[in-house]
Amino acid sequence: MLRIFGTRRMAVIAACITAAMTPVVAADTSEEVIEATLNGLQITLDAKTGGVVGLSAGGTEMLNAVGGGGIVDIAYPIEQFHALRLAPRFGQDAKITQSDKAVTIEWSHLPASRDLPVPGEVKVVVTLAAADDGKSVAMKCRVDNNTTQPIRQILFPDLNGLLPFGGEQQTQLRLGGGVVNPFTSLKRNPAAAPFYAEDPVLSGRFFNYRNAYHPHLMRWMDFGDLKNGFSLWQRAWGWDPLWGVWVRRDETDGKVRLACVHNVNVATNDSWESGEYLITPHSHGWAEGIEPFRKWVQQNLTRPVAIPNHVRDGLGFRSIFMTRGMPPNTAEDVVYKIEDMVQVATEAKAHGLDEMSPWFWCPYFQLPFQTLPLLGTDESFAAAIHDCRKVGVNVSPFISCFILSSPSAERYGLKVIKRTSFSGWTYHHEMIPMFNPGYTDAHETIQVNQDDVRWQDDVFENWSKMNDLGVPSLVWDVYGYGHQPAKITPSVYDLTQRIREAAVQKDPQAVFAAESCSNLELEAAQIDYTWNWMTWDDRRAFSSAFPAPRLNININQDPSAVWRGFMDNYYLNVMPNRPGDINGSAKIADYPEVSQALKQCAKLRKQFLPYFVEGTMIGECVLAEPSPHAYVTAYVLPKKMLLIAYSLGHEETLSLKADLQPWLSSTSGEYEVKQYDLEGNLEQTLKTSSDWRTTTDSPGQGKILIFEFIAP
């Protein structure tokens, strides 16, 4: 549906302005605009520039741009001005046409930000079309570079003028691995005066597509609050080109600009195509907006080997460091002897942990894998692992073979450069500083070419010796590629398949875990769980969309991290330290609150396991309004829902309000509500309508509330 108006028919909703602490400047009402409605998303275009100047859905105005709007923006440095940009807002000659369920915008030569000569023309065509899912709008961009120099950066989609329609505090940018509040976090601190070019208040924040360590870890994002907003994602996978996210708040009008950043190399007389981006409006939070992306993940993610049952079902794992630093070591460096492993495993099992990963059991950055003589032999190490298995704990030794030091590096034609300023991975708790002190180069390293078939064969052969001893599981240090491997040689993913195929012959439940260091779309097909140096953050969007791997967070002495990790389906990596000692050096029992939390969470996970392994995580989106004093995560099964709330403060009361109907349909409009205590005991059963409310007196920080809703 396409409509042309002689005057601008857009105004900022008064409630939106009232909710925002910073006034949002409304657009000029004299502009001629074109409006199109595609799958419920109302899109307003500037009839002259072709830029998007308005987005609305369900009666909520989400974008209201001043100055011609945006949709695409191209960097085009020339000798006279290296900061030159090409974008619709700099001209007035866009051609807008309508076809069946689509709008096409063309620029024969995308106008420049300065009145300077561009050597040729950059032609751009953008198409907006109703997607076949009935929920989304598909966006595509084609750039033809008919100039004399390459194009190196393209912003598409580029949405300028986003409003705090849920209020400044609640309108958030959610990425797969984190949440940003651009309307508050990008405000200026009057007391600070940073270098302007690196000041996020002025330059915005960039999120490159990276691994599990980074917020932007999947091709999806969401902008909105508990109710309204939109998800933005790309129909692409694997080795398809990756892109970053740029978000900036304009200090002059309080609005936000959000763009996908493509670092490209479009040669002269060549073209670039964006692929298909989809914007999915929603009225029930990010968990509704992510639904089409989740289906896309299901269509593309194929796992040759299923996640082992104990990893899929379990609460977490125990990590220990056998020695206190990188070898060579002395007897004083031993933290855990081989004969101690079964005792550690027994305690882990008592806390609901049925997986263990020992570090520093062999010389790292070297081949072959061989148990440190200081600890024992390969046979004694394997025997201890068998004993751990008898008490119900699988052991996956941690290996490191992608980064090599001498003499192993030389076997593959690599030369390790000795540098006193940076010593690779040299560390020990008695060094000052402990990590890469500069006065020793004990572990200078270099990355191996993982396409080297000799290296792949050596890794497989050396691992096979452990597999023959009955140790098929492993955790791989620094896993993945920073580049697309050559097609003519096997890749590290092919090597992984060789290892897994041989491992499952020994043990169908053998584990392949790893430190995620490249692209989780590719790693998700191989890794059962991650071993990354991560603490808790809000990565629920990833867990809601991807069935694998199970992301880990590291647990030391904080019981709140245990509870939040349990709620969010993390795979808890438990490694408490003794005061003044290294990771994992303490017993779990040394920290009674952590011990109790682990036991309670293990029991609750077992009791409510179907929600965690078969249900759909919807996070806090079941809430009808924000609950600032509670962290809430919910899971949905057919006819049932589990809601867990963690109290964050010391308020006298904790109130929760939820709208059940969008997530749990009831023909009668009524639901049964069961409340449980921390041991999983049923406390009470009540009836409720879809508009559910509860208030708890004196919850206290760390109080856990557990509710199960059942539809008739």
Side-chain angles (χ1 to χ4, degrees):
M1 181 178 183
L2 186 71
R3 294 180 294 174
I4 300 178
F5 295 94
T7 57
R8 183 77 178 263
R9 298 212 329 176
M10 301 195 61
V12 179
I13 296 174
C16 180
I17 299 179
T18 302
M21 294 179 65
T22 300
V24 176
V25 179
D28 185 356
T29 59
S30 63
E31 301 172 8
E32 184 178 84
V33 297
I34 294 174
E35 290 190 350
T37 300
L38 303 171
N39 280 344
L41 180 65
Q42 293 89 47
I43 305 169
T44 305
L45 305 175
D46 186 301
K48 295 180 180 179
T49 70
V52 175
V53 294
L55 288 177
S56 300
T60 298
E61 187 176 28
M62 299 182 290
L63 183 149
N64 188 324
V66 177
I71 188 64
V72 60
D73 191 308
I74 296 175
Y76 198 89
I78 58 176
E79 185 174 351
Q80 300 96 314
F81 186 54
H82 288 262
L84 191 70
R85 310 292 305 188
L86 309 179
R89 64 186 179 277
F90 303 125
Q92 294 189 348
D93 59 352
K95 178 183 177 182
I96 303 174
T97 59
Q98 182 187 22
S99 60
D100 186 25
K101 297 183 179 180
V103 177
T104 300
I105 316 158
E106 299 182 53
W107 299 268
S108 59
H109 56 282
L110 201 63
S113 58
R114 300 287 174 93
D115 187 16
L116 294 170
V118 175
E121 296 177 342
V122 176
K123 179 181 178 181
V124 177
V125 178
V126 170
T127 302
L128 311 175
D132 53 12
D133 64 4
K135 300 179 179 180
S136 309
V137 174
M139 301 180 287
K140 293 182 180 180
C141 178
R142 176 185 171 93
V143 175
D144 294 320
N145 183 15
N146 302 318
T147 71
T148 59
Q149 68 182 45
I151 292 172
R152 303 297 298 275
Q153 184 195 73
I154 300 173
L155 274 57
F156 177 82
D158 179 19
L159 303 177
N160 195 3
L162 291 166
L163 304 169
F165 46 85
E168 285 194 337
Q169 294 292 336
Q170 301 301 327
T171 308
Q172 300 175 331
L173 171 63
R174 179 177 293 270
L175 303 172
V179 178
V180 178
N181 190 323
F183 292 103
T184 58
S185 67
L186 295 180
K187 282 188 175 182
R188 184 168 301 281
N189 177 2
F195 173 45
Y196 75 90
E198 295 180 336
D199 182 3
V201 174
L202 188 62
S203 64
R205 289 188 63 183
F206 287 87
F207 300 93
N208 291 322
Y209 188 104
R210 301 291 292 276
N211 48 53
Y213 284 114
H214 300 271
H216 183 34
L217 49 74
M218 64 188 195
R219 303 174 202 253
W220 174 94
M221 69 182 97
D222 187 87
F223 189 88
D225 63 357
L226 276 177
K227 297 179 180 179
N228 303 298
F230 60 86
S231 289
L232 178 63
W233 59 283
Q234 185 191 31
R235 275 188 175 140
W237 194 261
W239 292 114
D240 291 337
L242 303 174
W243 42 271
V245 174
W246 176 51
V247 58
R248 180 181 182 271
R249 176 184 175 273
D250 191 323
E251 280 193 285
T252 63
D253 63 12
K255 300 176 186 178
V256 162
R257 185 176 180 185
L258 178 63
C260 299
V261 181
H262 307 266
N263 296 317
V264 297
N265 189 2
V266 187
T268 297
N269 297 322
D270 202 355
S271 298
W272 173 85
E273 295 192 14
S274 65
E276 190 173 63
Y277 280 82
L278 292 100
I279 182 168
T280 308
H282 57 72
S283 55
H284 299 102
W286 65 265
E288 181 183 31
I290 204 172
E291 289 172 356
F293 178 74
R294 184 188 299 116
K295 292 179 180 178
W296 174 251
V297 173
Q298 293 169 351
Q299 294 170 16
N300 287 274
L301 176 56
T302 301
R303 285 187 57 91
V305 179
I307 293 180
N309 294 342
H310 74 281
V311 175
R312 179 197 63 199
D313 298 347
L315 178 66
F317 63 107
R318 179 74 157 98
S319 288
I320 59 173
F321 293 70
M322 305 292 285
T323 66
R324 286 190 176 86
M326 301 299 293
N329 302 110
T330 65
E332 291 81 3
D333 294 311
V334 174
V335 181
Y336 293 100
K337 300 176 182 178
I338 285 179
E339 51 266 33
D340 296 330
M341 290 174 61
V342 70
Q343 298 176 7
V344 176
T346 300
E347 186 193 41
K349 184 66 176 179
H351 288 85
L353 311 175
D354 42 23
E355 170 80 4
M356 186 165 76
S357 180
W359 284 49
F360 296 169
W361 63 277
C362 69
Y364 280 6
F365 316 135
Q366 299 287 349
L367 290 171
F369 309 127
Q370 188 172 16
T371 304
L372 291 171
L374 188 67
L375 298 174
T377 64
D378 288 346
E379 290 74 16
S380 63
F381 185 58
I385 291 174
H386 295 163
D387 290 340
C388 292
R389 194 173 297 139
K390 291 177 182 178
V391 301
V393 175
N394 182 70
V395 178
S396 301
F398 194 93
I399 65 169
S400 188
C401 55
F402 164 54
I403 300 173
L404 296 177
S405 59
S406 296
S408 292
E410 283 72 18
R411 171 172 169 76
Y412 310 105
L414 304 173
K415 184 177 181 180
V416 178
I417 300 174
K418 300 292 185 178
R419 295 162 293 182
T420 57
S421 60
F422 177 78
S423 305
W425 294 95
T426 300
Y427 52 96
H428 191 281
H429 76 298
E430 293 181 23
M431 291 178 175
I432 303 175
M434 292 185 187
F435 184 71
N436 290 336
Y439 55 76
T440 177
D441 54 15
H443 281 94
E444 284 284 6
T445 57
I446 191 170
Q447 294 181 357
V448 73
N449 176 9
Q450 295 183 94
D451 298 337
D452 190 325
V453 176
R454 295 173 303 165
W455 172 82
Q456 293 182 16
D457 289 342
D458 286 349
V459 171
F460 182 79
E461 178 183 348
N462 280 279
W463 169 83
S464 295
K465 293 177 182 177
M466 297 302 297
N467 190 35
D468 291 340
L469 290 173
V471 186
S473 298
L474 63 87
V475 179
W476 186 292
D477 186 26
V478 191
Y479 184 73
Y481 275 104
H483 66 283
Q484 186 169 359
K487 298 293 186 181
I488 59 175
T489 61
S491 72
V492 72
Y493 302 121
D494 297 312
L495 172 60
T496 302
Q497 278 304 106
R498 290 174 63 191
I499 291 173
R500 300 220 70 169
E501 289 170 2
V504 296
Q505 295 300 315
K506 287 286 185 180
D507 179 5
Q509 298 298 314
V511 167
F512 188 96
E515 180 187 22
S516 165
C517 287
S518 61
N519 182 338
L520 268 171
E521 285 179 355
L522 296 166
E523 296 169 350
Q526 311 292 344
I527 299 175
D528 298 323
Y529 66 85
T530 62
W531 203 122
N532 284 52
W533 292 97
M534 300 192 300
T535 54
W536 181 89
D537 203 342
D538 191 344
R539 303 179 184 92
R540 289 179 292 183
F542 178 86
S543 297
S544 179
F546 278 75
R550 287 195 66 187
L551 299 182
N552 76 285
I553 59 168
N554 297 341
I555 304 296
N556 190 0
Q557 304 168 19
D558 182 9
S560 70
V562 175
W563 280 106
R564 286 197 181 191
F566 154 72
M567 292 169 60
D568 288 356
N569 204 26
Y570 280 112
Y571 202 46
L572 307 184
N573 180 11
V574 181
M575 49 178 186
N577 70 292
R578 291 194 296 249
D581 212 338
I582 68 170
N583 302 105
S585 56
K587 295 180 179 179
I588 300 174
D590 291 344
Y591 298 95
E593 291 183 345
V594 171
S595 173
Q596 181 184 30
L598 286 169
K599 290 178 178 179
Q600 290 172 328
C601 289
K603 185 177 180 181
L604 290 169
R605 183 175 177 88
K606 185 175 181 180
Q607 180 174 344
F608 297 106
L609 187 62
Y611 287 102
F612 294 100
V613 301
E614 301 169 15
T616 299
M617 177 193 282
I618 62 171
E620 78 284 20
C621 294
V622 68
L623 295 180
E625 61 182 46
S627 181
H629 305 304
Y631 182 78
V632 175
T633 293
Y635 296 81
V636 179
L637 286 168
K639 297 295 183 180
K640 295 194 296 184
M641 177 192 298
L642 179 69
L643 184 152
I644 309 172
Y646 179 85
S647 175
L648 299 174
H650 299 281
E651 287 69 25
E652 293 183 0
T653 61
L654 174 63
S655 296
L656 300 174
K657 300 179 182 180
D659 183 8
L660 305 178
Q661 184 66 28
W663 306 104
L664 195 63
S665 179
S666 170
T667 55
S668 67
E670 290 189 344
Y671 302 84
E672 184 178 67
V673 187
K674 296 182 177 181
Q675 183 171 358
Y676 300 87
D677 65 17
L678 297 187
E679 301 298 329
N681 299 314
L682 181 63
E683 290 186 322
Q684 62 177 340
T685 301
L686 302 171
K687 296 289 184 179
T688 185
S689 66
S690 177
D691 181 18
W692 174 76
R693 303 183 179 203
T694 187
T695 299
T696 301
D697 293 331
S698 303
Q701 186 174 12
K703 173 74 174 181
I704 306 296
L705 303 176
I706 304 168
F707 300 94
E708 186 176 28
F709 302 91
I710 302 172

